Amino acid sequence: MNLASLDLNLLVALRTLLEERNVTKAGLRVGLSQPAMSAALARLRHHFADQLLVRQGSRYELTPLGTALLAPAVTASAMLERLFASRADFQPATEQHEFTLLSSDYGIAVFGVRLARLLHEEAPGVRLHFRHVTPEIVEHADAALSGVDGMLMPHGVISDLPAVELYRDEWVCLVADDHPEVGERLTMDDLARLPWVIYQRPFDAPVTRQLTMLGLDPYVDVSVQSFQLLPSLVAGTRRVAMMQRRLAHLLRDLAPVRVLPCPFEAVDLREALWWHPVHTHDAAHVWLREMAVRVAGELAGDDA
């Protein structure tokens, strides 16, 4: 496909039509008249040799191809918007800019809070927006990162994308303060027989992966999309959980739990900031990475 032969305005029309599923509403959203948007739809139908939108009673529905094109159209639009918003320089003291980072609540609590504080001090006109990482985003990280500024994620989950190292962390175990079956130390037998609360879905949780490699098939009693809820879901129960030492330290007064060493050599976390290559040379993004490295230095100083 020769891009020079394409009218990239059709990308805007395609995304809007697929999202709105209504020619009139799509036209209003992008500032085009109904005839102009109808003409754009006709050109798109000719290009793809597909109706894209078909009437079903009083409404329009996407064809199978239209459904397949929706996510790529959103991703391509976001990438182009960021590409043409790139600047040769970035003046943090005077810029009005927004950065969007994908992260779990762990990454926000341990790293994002400090980053937000530093950005507030260095660039008062800069806004920082965090979005929660979902399993679907991880599965399609390349596409997801094309429309945001980066993702806080440990090594071993995604690869083949640029990244800057941030900090290391280690796994610890949580049990209730008054757990009647656990002494001063946990044993592998404890991990095998006690119910678990884990982060995310049982089949893709980092804890489950580590235990599976040890030949354990943990009984998952509760799964939750928040690391910070783990202490509360452990307190007053027979459950056990694994969480990051840095976060456990931050949450030590949240619930009556004990933090214990894992009874096996858990693989340490190496947290990094990942981004799409399209952002590598953008001045604003370069500055953001410099700020991230400064925060990483603060965390390293805490460990000294």
Side-chain angles (χ1 to χ4, degrees), residues 151-211:
M151 176 160 57
L152 301 175
M153 180 67 60
H155 283 276
V157 181
I158 61 176
S159 59
D160 300 324
L161 288 167
V164 60
E165 301 293 321
L166 297 178
Y167 60 90
R168 288 180 176 268
D169 207 344
E170 60 186 359
W171 292 100
V172 294
C173 290
L174 302 182
V175 296
D177 249 353
D178 55 354
H179 201 299
E181 303 169 53
V182 177
E184 294 183 359
R185 301 187 68 86
L186 277 164
T187 66
M188 294 298 292
D189 180 65
D190 292 331
L191 302 189
R193 64 185 174 80
L194 293 175
W196 280 80
V197 52
I198 64 168
Y199 171 77
Q200 288 283 20
R201 303 175 298 189
F203 59 85
D204 63 7
V207 170
T208 304
R209 290 199 298 271
Q210 295 206 46
L211 294 176

Side-chain angles (χ1 to χ4, degrees), residues 33-49:
S33 65
Q34 194 274 343
M37 186 55 78
S38 293
L41 176 58
R43 293 177 63 190
L44 289 166
R45 284 170 166 170
H46 179 265
H47 174 82
F48 289 106

Side-chain angles (χ1 to χ4, degrees), residues 59-301:
R59 56 184 297 178
Y60 282 95
E61 298 291 342
L62 300 183
T63 65
L65 179 60
T67 301
L69 289 174
L70 177 56
V74 172
T75 298
S77 296
M79 181 180 289
L80 285 174
E81 288 170 0
R82 290 181 173 271
L83 175 65
F84 285 98
S86 298
R87 302 275 296 278
D89 59 7
F90 185 79
Q91 302 297 326
T94 58
E95 294 282 355
Q96 299 291 318
H97 194 87
E98 179 172 293
F99 293 107
T100 299
L101 296 179
L102 304 172
S103 178
S104 67
D105 64 321
Y106 157 72
I108 297 171
V110 171
F111 186 84
V113 169
R114 293 193 184 213
L115 180 64
R117 186 181 301 122
L118 180 60
L119 265 56
H120 177 71
E121 294 170 354
E122 299 285 334
V126 166
R127 301 175 303 282
L128 185 58
H129 177 56
F130 287 106
R131 284 172 47 194
H132 189 68
V133 175
T134 65
E136 292 73 25
I137 286 175
V138 173
E139 291 169 8
H140 306 285
D142 187 47
L145 285 175
S146 67
V148 299
D149 293 287
M151 176 160 57
L152 301 175
M153 180 67 60
H155 283 276
V157 181
I158 61 176
S159 59
D160 300 324
L161 288 167
V164 60
E165 301 293 321
L166 297 178
Y167 60 90
R168 288 180 176 268
D169 207 344
E170 60 186 359
W171 292 100
V172 294
C173 290
L174 302 182
V175 296
D177 249 353
D178 55 354
H179 201 299
E181 303 169 53
V182 177
E184 294 183 359
R185 301 187 68 86
L186 277 164
T187 66
M188 294 298 292
D189 180 65
D190 292 331
L191 302 189
R193 64 185 174 80
L194 293 175
W196 280 80
V197 52
I198 64 168
Y199 171 77
Q200 288 283 20
R201 303 175 298 189
F203 59 85
D204 63 7
V207 170
T208 304
R209 290 199 298 271
Q210 295 206 46
L211 294 176
T212 300
M213 289 189 292
L214 294 171
L216 292 179
D217 184 18
Y219 171 67
V220 178
D221 192 26
V222 178
S223 60
V224 63
Q225 290 190 344
S226 169
F227 281 110
Q228 297 190 55
L229 290 177
L230 295 180
S232 297
L233 291 168
V234 164
T237 75
R238 296 179 61 247
R239 299 182 188 122
V240 60
M242 280 175 58
M243 72 183 307
Q244 306 86 345
R245 176 185 59 80
R246 293 180 185 274
L247 184 59
H249 178 74
L250 290 175
L251 303 180
R252 59 187 180 276
D253 298 324
L254 181 64
V257 297
R258 284 186 284 158
V259 179
L260 301 174
C262 296
F264 62 93
E265 292 292 330
V267 178
D268 284 352
L269 294 173
R270 292 171 51 217
E271 190 81 349
L273 171 63
W274 305 80
W275 67 90
H276 193 281
V278 73
H279 305 314
T280 298
H281 302 294
D282 175 64
H285 203 277
V286 170
W287 177 81
L288 175 65
R289 300 198 304 266
E290 291 172 351
M291 296 301 100
V293 169
R294 283 180 56 181
V295 173
E298 294 178 5
L299 286 169

